[in-house]
């Protein structure tokens, strides 16, 4: 098997000399365009009923019966607000070969080029039939290396999430991190098992102690100049809920509970591949929230790395526990910015659904930078508040903090407030992501998906003055 971190050619631009033109046509421009075409092509388009609707495509033969060109309907601006990566839908239906884009608005080139590359993503590790691919020659004017880095980062995220827990437990997640570190000359340090107690990561150990694969904290560093950025990702490789066992329907998708780790690793890959001038640290608490005789229990109280005590009122609120110790470690060296990503609450999914990445920050400048960036790179995000008055909800009385406030009001916000306690004075942003695309859309097959990583990549220069 090829390594998870190797990049398939299908995710890179084609280097072909000759490529079949894909003519991108807005509905309103079709008539004028056809008037300029050879009689044959115009008649073929008319008889096929091509109307340049968004996502519609038409193959046009050349004189010898080969594929001469492709028409790609691009609808109008209003239709295009209903989704992203519109040409990816066309690309996915084309025969194998090399293609080039014509007539595309330069302002949309980056998004469409990335979408096309992402149609080259398939989770085929367990498939006996691999499929062929329509490849795109890099459109003139795009930063090909940047788009390829984004596609490769996203593909890593998806592979990590899609791989079932049996093959993506804490051991394999660590191995993937080591691979990635080796590829980019990053340093990596892992604290595992009983060493977690010795090195004072009690909550990571507590959550992971019932699983066969030992819990661990993965600590990767890259770059030695520029501002410091610490990314923290929830690496719960499977979440049964622990003794507060999840019902079957809720447990079904929980291989994706390391989606935060997968997404920060995807972002880290983009940052390293592009050589951003910053000092990067990635912290991943990697555990499995399992059930066994030695599992932690409701009612238990533990002292965290930071010294705050936490009462466990639900063993299924495990993500904030492992993140608490990782965030405390990250905050100890006060990086210029710390960002956590986690499939943290069902409440976030209920609030914004699977398409938006909800995030929290107290820094207005960061929120503005991120909103602008998200719109530019078609990676939508939505800000939720660190609402101070709800702090009272995470204080149970007999300990400093409650991991699962009763009542369930504002579940994503109270989880975010819980995490913020551990970030201390560090400038902090947190994403409560879903990490999964429930139904296939262009360039976004059903399955694991990165959220917020490209928006962050785009926003980082402004946030950190790179
Ligand atoms: N991993 C889940 C959250 C989750 C569930 C994310 C479904 C996406 C889809 C998390 O560990 C969890 O179980 N959270 C609980 C917290 C509650 C017990 C306070 C939740 O959201 O129900
Ligand atoms: Mn849980
Ligand atoms: Zn979880």
């Amino acid at each position: 098997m090829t390594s998870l971190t190797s990049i398939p050619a299908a995710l890179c631009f084609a280097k072909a000399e000759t490529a079949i033109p894909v003519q991108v046509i807005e509905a309103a421009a079709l008539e004028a365009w056809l008037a300029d075409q050879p009689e044959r092509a115009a008649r073929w388009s008319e008889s096929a009923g091509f109307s340049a609707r968004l996502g519609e495509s038409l193959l046009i033969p050349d004189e010898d019966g080969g594929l001469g060109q492709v028409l790609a309907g691009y609808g109008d601006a209003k239709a295009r607000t209903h989704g992203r990566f519109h040409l990816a839908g066309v690309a996915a239906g084309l025969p194998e070969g090399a293609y080039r884009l014509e007539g595309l608005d330069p302002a949309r080139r980056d998004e469409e080029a990335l979408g096309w590359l992402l149609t080259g993503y398939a989770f085929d590790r367990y498939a006996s039939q691999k499929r062929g691919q329509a490849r795109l020659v890099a459109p003139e004017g795009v930063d090909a290396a940047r788009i390829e880095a984004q596609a490769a980062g996203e593909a890593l995220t998806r592979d990590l999430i899609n791989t079932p827990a049996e093959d993506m437990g804490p051991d394999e997640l660590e191995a993937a991190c080591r691979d990635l570190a080796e590829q980019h000359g990053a340093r990596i340090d892992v604290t595992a098992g009983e060493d977690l107690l010795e090195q004072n990561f009690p909550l990571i150990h507590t959550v992971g102690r019932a699983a066969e694969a030992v819990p661990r904290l993965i600590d990767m560093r890259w770059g030695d100049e520029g501002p410091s950025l610490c990314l923290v990702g929830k690496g719960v490789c499977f979440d049964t809920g622990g003794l507060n066992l999840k019902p079957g329907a809720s447990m079904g998708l929980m291989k994706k509970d390391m989606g935060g780790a997968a997404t920060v690793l995807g972002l880290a890959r983009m940052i390293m591949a592009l050589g951003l001038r910053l000092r990067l640290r990635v912290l991943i608490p990697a555990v499995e929230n399992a059930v066994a005789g030695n599992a932690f229990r409701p009612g238990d109280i533990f002292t965290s790395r930071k010294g705050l005590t936490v009462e466990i009122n639900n063993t299924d609120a495990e993500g904030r526990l492992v993140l608490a110790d990782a965030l405390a470690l990250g905050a100890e060296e006060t990086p210029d910015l710390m960002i956590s990503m986690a499939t943290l609450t069902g409440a976030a999914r209920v609030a914004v659904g699977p398409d938006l990445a909800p995030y929290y920050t107290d820094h207005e400048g960061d929120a503005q930078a991120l909103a602008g960036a998200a719109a530019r790179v078609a990676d939508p995000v939505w800000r939720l508040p660190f609402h101070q008055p709800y702090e009272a909800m995470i204080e149970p009385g007999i300990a400093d903090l409650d991991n699962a406030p009763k009542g369930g009001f504002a579940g994503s916000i109270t989880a975010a407030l819980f995490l913020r306690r551990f970030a201390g004075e560090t400038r902090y942003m947190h994403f409560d992501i879903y990490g999964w695309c429930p139904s296939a859309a262009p360039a976004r097959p059903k399955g694991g998906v990165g959220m917020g990583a490209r928006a962050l990549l785009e926003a980082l220069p402004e946030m950190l003055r790179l």
Side-chain angles (χ1 to χ4, degrees):
M1 200 187 69
T2 53
S3 131
L4 260 183
T5 52
S6 63
I7 301 168
L11 286 164
C12 301
F13 289 113
K15 301 281 184 290
E17 306 255 302
T18 56
I20 297 161
V22 175
Q23 182 70 40
V24 180
I25 311 175
E26 291 212 356
L30 178 61
E31 219 180 281
W33 187 82
L34 286 175
D36 263 359
Q37 301 309 301
E39 175 71 12
R40 275 181 70 258
R43 285 203 37 217
W44 174 245
S45 162
E46 266 159 31
S47 29
F50 181 74
S51 64
R53 252 187 311 106
L54 187 60
E56 191 182 5
S57 63
L58 182 71
L59 308 188
I60 300 186
D62 62 17
E63 302 284 337
D64 312 316
L67 179 51
Q69 67 173 334
V70 177
L71 306 190
Y74 212 48
D76 58 24
K78 181 153 176 276
R80 289 194 297 270
T81 61
H82 289 266
R84 25 182 161 156
F85 307 127
H86 309 288
L87 294 179
V90 172
L94 292 176
E96 222 174 306
Y99 296 83
R100 64 187 153 83
L101 288 173
E102 283 184 359
L104 177 63
D105 175 357
R108 305 203 57 99
R109 266 189 312 226
D110 285 7
E111 177 188 335
E112 297 296 1
L114 175 64
W116 192 303
L117 290 193
L118 287 176
T119 63
Y121 175 80
F123 183 59
D124 54 11
R125 173 169 170 177
Y126 303 90
S128 27
Q129 289 260 334
K130 319 273 172 188
R131 63 183 168 89
Q133 178 63 26
R135 310 231 352 239
L136 183 68
V137 173
E140 216 158 292
V142 305
D143 182 342
R146 187 174 173 84
I147 309 268
E148 286 180 341
Q150 293 180 39
E154 173 66 19
L156 174 63
T157 299
R158 293 179 184 183
D159 278 341
L160 290 169
I161 297 176
N162 286 331
T163 305
E166 177 72 9
D167 293 329
M168 189 49 65
D171 289 322
E172 292 86 358
L173 186 54
E174 175 186 334
C177 291
R178 289 190 183 280
D179 267 11
L180 188 66
E182 195 179 320
Q183 272 175 20
H184 294 280
R187 292 145 275 161
I188 189 164
D189 186 46
V190 177
T191 308
E194 299 301 305
D195 287 354
L196 287 169
L197 294 176
E198 220 159 277
Q199 308 280 322
N200 193 23
F201 297 103
L203 295 182
I204 300 175
H205 183 271
T206 295
V207 171
R209 74 188 187 190
E212 202 154 276
V214 296
R216 66 206 71 192
L217 176 68
I218 301 163
D219 184 349
M220 188 172 107
R221 289 180 191 266
W222 173 89
D224 37 35
E225 48 174 28
S228 51
L229 169 66
C230 180
L231 302 177
V232 183
K234 173 177 171 181
V236 175
C237 294
F238 195 79
D239 182 10
T240 65
L243 293 178
N244 292 111
L245 197 66
K246 284 181 185 292
S250 311
M251 204 191 297
L253 265 185
M254 283 300 123
K255 68 172 182 180
K256 79 172 173 76
D257 213 19
M258 30 61 75
T263 305
V264 300
L265 286 169
L267 175 56
R269 174 183 246 187
M270 297 176 204
I271 289 171
M272 296 189 293
L274 294 171
L276 296 200
R277 198 183 149 276
L278 53 77
R279 284 172 294 143
L280 176 65
R281 185 179 196 187
V282 180
L283 295 175
I284 295 176
V287 304
E288 199 182 319
N289 189 19
V291 182
N294 64 339
F296 72 126
R297 322 154 186 85
D300 283 346
I301 296 178
F302 299 98
T303 303
S304 66
R305 176 179 185 84
K306 198 180 160 80
L308 292 167
T309 55
V310 184
E311 180 178 323
I312 307 303
N313 281 309
N314 193 323
T315 59
D316 197 8
E318 84 298 338
R320 66 198 77 186
L321 301 174
V322 296
L323 289 169
D325 279 353
L327 287 166
L329 173 69
E332 283 161 23
E333 55 182 36
T334 331
D336 293 306
L337 177 63
M338 182 154 70
I339 303 173
S340 56
M341 295 192 121
T343 50
L344 201 60
T345 69
R349 167 194 65 161
V350 171
V352 301
D355 205 44
L356 285 166
Y359 74 97
Y360 297 81
T361 175
D362 285 322
H363 192 290
E364 297 305 316
D366 284 351
Q368 258 182 35
L370 191 69
R376 290 196 297 279
V377 300
D379 189 12
V381 298
W382 200 264
R383 188 180 182 186
L384 293 177
F386 275 127
H387 190 56
Q388 197 73 25
Y390 293 167
E391 289 279 2
M393 294 201 228
I394 59 173
E395 293 169 352
I398 64 168
D400 297 322
L401 289 168
D402 179 343
N403 83 326
K406 270 161 229 48
F409 289 121
S412 176
I413 298 177
T414 52
L417 290 172
F418 184 102
L419 295 183
R420 190 177 65 169
R421 296 283 183 107
F422 296 88
E425 295 307 300
T426 301
R427 179 169 146 203
Y428 177 52
M429 181 181 267
H430 159 63
F431 284 77
D432 191 345
I433 57 175
Y434 190 56
W436 190 262
C437 187
S439 50
R444 292 158 56 86
K446 180 176 171 180
V449 71
M451 301 175 76
R454 284 181 300 109
L456 280 171
L457 181 75
E458 174 81 6
L460 282 175
E462 193 179 333
M463 297 198 315
L464 293 174
R465 300 180 193 289
L466 300 181

